[in-house]
Amino acid sequence: MPATGEAERAPNIGGAVWEAAGARAKSEGLPLIWVMSRALTEYAAGTLPLPRITTSTRAGNRRGRSVFATNDVWAGADERRTKAAVRSMSALCEILLDAYARGDIHPYARMVTTAQREALTAPRPPVGTGPAGTTPVPVAA
């Protein structure tokens, strides 16, 4: 299901790459279309460099696969792709998914669990109130 403002795109991605990325996404409990959307968004924003320009030689038959992105993300990724001399948006999407399948990129790096979020936002004890002989170190949020 696309997020608000996202449109369906159909880049041609090799079957072996799609399946390998899908297996990793499934093992992490993530929808593959979300992984692709996140990777495109990070790439368009300039926070995700391309790990390498080519995908594996065993990419398999390529066909249109559903991915979702806003017009701004798609245009931003397309602009960066052109500067990086990647031949097409299909090739870019395949490169990103291949890197994800190999473990070279991690779209969840900025995400935290609910418990982690609560721990990060919970009130901290005042400095000097820890067990005898210790002083908690304030952590920047």
Side-chain angles (χ1 to χ4, degrees):
M1 188 78 177
T4 303
E6 288 184 335
E8 185 173 7
R9 318 289 176 154
N12 293 312
I13 299 171
V17 171
W18 187 261
E19 289 171 18
R24 178 171 176 208
K26 184 177 180 179
S27 76
E28 295 176 334
L30 299 170
L32 183 55
I33 59 172
W34 181 87
V35 169
M36 183 75 256
S37 176
R38 185 84 247 134
L40 279 171
T41 299
E42 295 295 326
Y43 180 75
T47 58
L48 178 64
L50 287 178
R52 65 178 176 186
I53 298 296
T54 60
T55 59
S56 88
T57 56
R58 57 181 178 74
N61 294 332
R62 288 173 172 82
R63 68 176 180 86
R65 314 280 179 166
S66 290
V67 301
F68 298 91
T70 65
N71 290 336
D72 288 342
V73 165
W74 193 259
D78 192 35
E79 184 178 324
R80 287 197 68 216
R81 167 203 67 82
T82 302
K83 290 177 183 174
V86 175
R87 73 179 177 277
S88 66
M89 284 298 288
S90 291
L92 173 65
C93 290
E94 187 170 295
I95 289 166
L96 292 172
L97 283 182
D98 187 52
Y100 172 72
R102 289 189 324 270
D104 290 346
I105 62 174
H106 307 277
Y108 53 85
R110 293 187 191 180
M111 296 174 62
V112 295
T113 65
T114 300
Q116 289 169 322
R117 183 194 68 210
E118 289 170 357
L120 290 169
T121 59
R124 305 228 183 267
V127 175
T129 61
T134 65
T135 303
V137 177
V139 177

